[in-house]
Amino acid sequence: MRGGAVAGTLARRLGTGDAVFVGLSAMIGAGVFAAYGPAARSAGPWLLASLALAAVVAYCNATSSARLAALYPESGGTYVYGTRRLGHFWGYLAGWGFVVGKTASCAAMALTFGAYVAPELARPLAAGAVVALTALNLLGVQRSALAARVMVVFVLAVLATVVAAAVLNPGLEPGLRYSGGEVDAWGVLQGAGLLFFAFAGYARVATMGEEVRDPARTIPRAITIALFVTLAVYALVGYSALTVLGPHRLGASQVPLADLARETGIGWLPLLVTAGAAVASLGALLALILGVSRTVLAMARRRDLPAVLDAVHPVRKVPHRAELAVALAVVALVLLADLRGAIGFSSFGVLLYYAVANASAFTLTREEGAPAKAVPVLGVVLCVGLAFTLPVASVLAGLAVFAVGVLAWLLKR
């Protein structure tokens, strides 16, 4: 039956366009409104070099993930690929890093929404957003994909308006000065690691491999399109913010695009940016909850997480118990967590997750659709390298969480 699925499996209802917009909602919502300030503090006037390096890492990861997702069109992403290609331990470690790191990302996006809408009520609003979007996901993945499409179109329109106002405004005095200092290689690397947080959304397409029609064709196309559209948007926005605000003001800003909008002198533009940030945060949160819950389902199927989470709703064909568990964890983090720490911690976990993805892709044969060997090799080196250039607190927290995961693995056995 069309759109149907056997008991215990998810229904293949998403086409290429749906998958592209799910990826775009995760990437654009996460990065444009949150990552430029911290990255500019590290990279200074070389912010665009950090963006280019982050894009190279993302391309390697996207290529490896697309080839693996086409071969293994199941929920779980690198948890599945690592298990199949490298062994159960490496798959488990990737899944652990993804679930914990992306749960922190969910909290970060929810807190960003609350902070933009009403800073004094940020935490209650964030918790409410998690509950509302989880309810939307429980209604079915097609409704979630439609909501993601609407959100992305609105956010892209806001960003286009801001860029046009900055670039075409003859009264703005450029704040960018490239001649002020030498290249800080460590700062560029750290900036790339922080900006990579913004690109990680294409994983949502791979983790939803069980719900995509014709996955061997759809997944690689959707990941590639989403990645390059996001890179183009980021480059335009980053150039505008860096040119108008300059590296020091940009690095010091907590809301860089709102500051950019205020600099244009257009009275209604900051309000539009605030609305765009709120919608983008909701779009990112929607896609993040989708991806994390699918990985939780995959790990529960192999009993790496509690078996009670291995359930697919008989009518809606969604992993309802996994989604409810993720929502509870995110609400707890929203009430306790720090936004800045959540972003750094998430970047560490996701970079190591993709290191496993690239290592898995390295084992593919030509008959299995292997990419050029240089792609996964470069991906592993850059992922591990950027992970350990992140702020010390993020690295230590990430190592501690992975140590807990390894201990759980050993105790189980």
Side-chain angles (χ1 to χ4, degrees), residues 93-102 104-105 196 200 342-356 383 387 390 394-395 397-399 401-402:
L93 209 59
W96 177 269
F98 183 87
V99 168
V100 175
K102 286 304 181 180
S105 292
F196 177 75
I343 291 177
F345 171 74
S346 175
S347 294
F348 184 87
V350 174
L351 281 165
L352 294 188
Y353 168 88
Y354 279 116
V356 175
C383 282
L390 289 166
S394 299
V395 174
L399 289 175
V401 169
F402 274 93

Side-chain angles (χ1 to χ4, degrees), residues 8-12 65-85 98 202-216 219-220 223 290-302 310 312 319 353:
T9 63
L10 304 177
R12 297 193 183 279
S65 297
R67 302 299 176 86
L68 289 161
L71 189 62
Y72 302 109
E74 308 169 31
S75 286
T78 301
Y79 169 71
V80 173
Y81 316 147
T83 298
R84 297 289 188 93
R85 308 303 303 194
F98 183 87
Y202 53 78
R204 241 57 73 233
V205 181
T207 56
M208 296 174 66
E210 198 171 312
E211 295 162 277
V212 172
R213 297 191 298 268
D214 190 11
I219 292 175
I223 288 177
L290 279 172
V292 176
S293 62
R294 272 60 181 175
T295 301
V296 168
L297 172 66
M299 295 184 73
R301 283 172 171 171
R302 292 189 64 99
D310 177 14
V312 175
Y353 168 88

